[in-house]
Amino acid sequence: MEEIRKPKPHEQKYFNQSVVNLSKNKNISSVNKTYILGFIRQHCEISDGTPLSYSRRTRYIHHLTKFSEFSGIKDFKKAKREDIENFVIKLNNGEITQRRHRVDMPYSPKTIGDTLGAIKTFYKYLEGDGYTFPKKVAWIKKKTKILNPQSLTESQVEKLKAGLGTIRNRFMVLVLGCDLGLRPNEAMNLRRRDINKKITSDGNEVYKFHVTVSKTKPRTISTRLFPQMVDLFLDEYDRKNRDPNMFIFDCSQPAYSAIFKRAGESILNIKNLTPTLCRHTSVTTYAILGLSSSQLSYRYGHTFNSDVINHYLSRIGRLDDEGGEKIDASKSIKRDNENDDLKRKIDILQDQMKNVRQDIIADMERMFSKLIEDGKYSSSAHNPND
């Protein structure tokens, strides 16, 4: 298993405190507490693949605690679909609130989606086989509403390019954020050995980034918008003769996100510049440049035919009307021709495979016929009861 960055002390501290708070919560039955903690250990700590971060485990405890408290369910295994439906209705209607700034406020669409996703994953562990959802929760849609994601304009990206001071900050915000669209945890687990220069078939140099730690799936992606910034960053990094197995950043995720926030406030005069906003910018840019749904899904670690990716693609027309970049028609026609050619080749391969299978079956039939004729094969010879 790929070694991941060790969590910062405060992340483990918050997780430990959430476990203590759960154990002391008098509004949750002891059997539900056992189920929640069992899920945290089995699914989040020792499951196949990369163990979930402490911060993610903490969020799971928070969502499932809320579910147990406001649903009134005393035993998760005895809950009926109607019980879960009532909770979801209350959550979507804003009847379940949280205390913020001394005011009771309904949960945001994102938090609602996270809560519903946690419930589905929890029941997949509790009553499913770890891969399929039980019927009582299979109907839940994790994404209750997909909001129009914001993204930076081309002029704002140019301002960041001109205004970011250090090579390191330019590499973080522009390359990892606006070009690759990495999540903070993915960026924090990059090592020097994960970045390599490659020569493409058309003779261009690109850098390949191997994302080994991800909340969705590992992948290898390239940067094409700011290759010179990668050159500058790696030149500076390699001069220090660091071990290629070391992480390239020695900072926490909050510190990483703070670099984006400060850049937004000082250069763009906005307060919401985050790694997520830069990720939205990256997806929008590559969607406009013509990447297909499957290509975008792979690049950004989404499942194929993802609703989120399809939502970005549906926005391209509106972005063009607002003055965004136009897709070059010749490139689009060329890509369509390449896709048609690829489909024809696949059809040919499928026909060839069909013929190969038929040839194999025919050869096996001839072989068995010859064995039977020669008296070397009989069904009774393989019957243990004879």
Side-chain angles (χ1 to χ4, degrees), residues 152-340:
L152 296 173
T153 64
E154 183 178 350
S155 61
Q156 287 177 316
V157 173
E158 288 299 321
K159 286 182 179 179
L160 288 173
K161 185 177 178 180
L164 285 165
T166 66
I167 294 175
R168 176 173 176 265
N169 287 359
R170 288 201 295 271
F171 178 77
M172 282 184 174
V173 177
L174 294 174
V175 177
L176 302 186
C178 295
D179 190 345
L180 297 177
L182 296 186
R183 302 178 179 99
N185 186 49
E186 295 170 345
M188 289 294 91
N189 283 283
L190 278 177
R191 304 168 190 264
R192 176 62 182 89
R193 70 183 188 212
D194 298 327
I195 309 173
N196 298 286
K197 183 181 286 188
K198 300 290 184 181
I199 306 298
T200 62
S201 58
D202 54 5
N204 294 324
E205 293 184 348
V206 298
Y207 279 98
K208 296 284 186 178
F209 286 70
H210 185 42
V211 182
T212 58
V213 177
S214 172
K215 76 173 187 178
T216 50
K217 56 186 177 184
R219 58 199 186 278
T220 300
I221 54 181
S222 61
T223 175
R224 295 179 179 273
L225 303 182
F226 306 106
Q228 301 86 353
M229 292 185 184
V230 184
D231 282 329
L232 291 173
F233 175 79
L234 293 183
D235 286 344
E236 182 181 74
Y237 186 90
D238 292 340
R239 279 199 301 270
K240 299 177 181 178
N241 295 319
R242 293 181 176 177
D243 184 347
N245 295 318
M246 290 179 60
F247 298 107
I248 60 175
F249 297 127
D250 185 20
C251 65
S252 65
Q253 287 190 36
Y256 176 79
S257 299
I259 292 173
F260 287 73
K261 181 177 176 62
R262 287 195 295 269
E265 292 175 346
S266 61
I267 301 172
L268 303 180
N269 196 28
I270 61 175
K271 296 184 178 181
N272 66 332
L273 183 62
T274 62
T276 301
L277 178 59
C278 290
R279 178 178 171 84
H280 292 169
T281 303
S282 176
V283 181
T284 302
T285 300
Y286 280 97
I288 291 175
L289 291 176
L291 266 65
S292 66
S293 175
S294 59
Q295 290 172 322
L296 290 170
S297 296
Y298 174 80
R299 182 176 180 85
Y300 298 100
H302 286 278
T303 56
F304 289 106
N305 199 28
S306 164
D307 289 339
V308 176
I309 293 298
N310 290 336
H311 187 65
Y312 279 105
L313 290 172
S314 71
R315 298 180 66 223
I316 291 177
R318 182 168 66 81
L319 287 171
D320 286 343
D321 291 340
E322 293 172 354
E325 296 180 62
K326 301 286 186 180
I327 300 176
D328 187 277
S330 61
K331 291 182 179 179
S332 179
I333 294 172
K334 180 181 178 183
R335 186 173 61 256
D336 290 340
N337 292 335
E338 290 174 347
N339 289 340
D340 291 339

Side-chain angles (χ1 to χ4, degrees), residues 50-90:
T50 304
L52 299 185
S53 65
Y54 279 112
S55 59
R56 194 163 180 81
R57 297 179 211 174
T58 302
R59 290 196 296 273
Y60 268 126
I61 291 179
H62 170 74
H63 295 319
L64 295 175
T65 297
K66 176 171 55 183
F67 173 51
S68 183
E69 286 180 330
F70 289 99
S71 66
I73 298 172
K74 300 301 181 183
D75 187 333
F76 285 136
K77 284 192 174 182
K78 295 180 180 179
K80 298 179 180 179
R81 171 169 171 164
E82 293 77 17
D83 301 324
I84 301 174
E85 284 178 347
N86 290 333
F87 172 80
V88 173
I89 291 172
K90 291 180 181 178

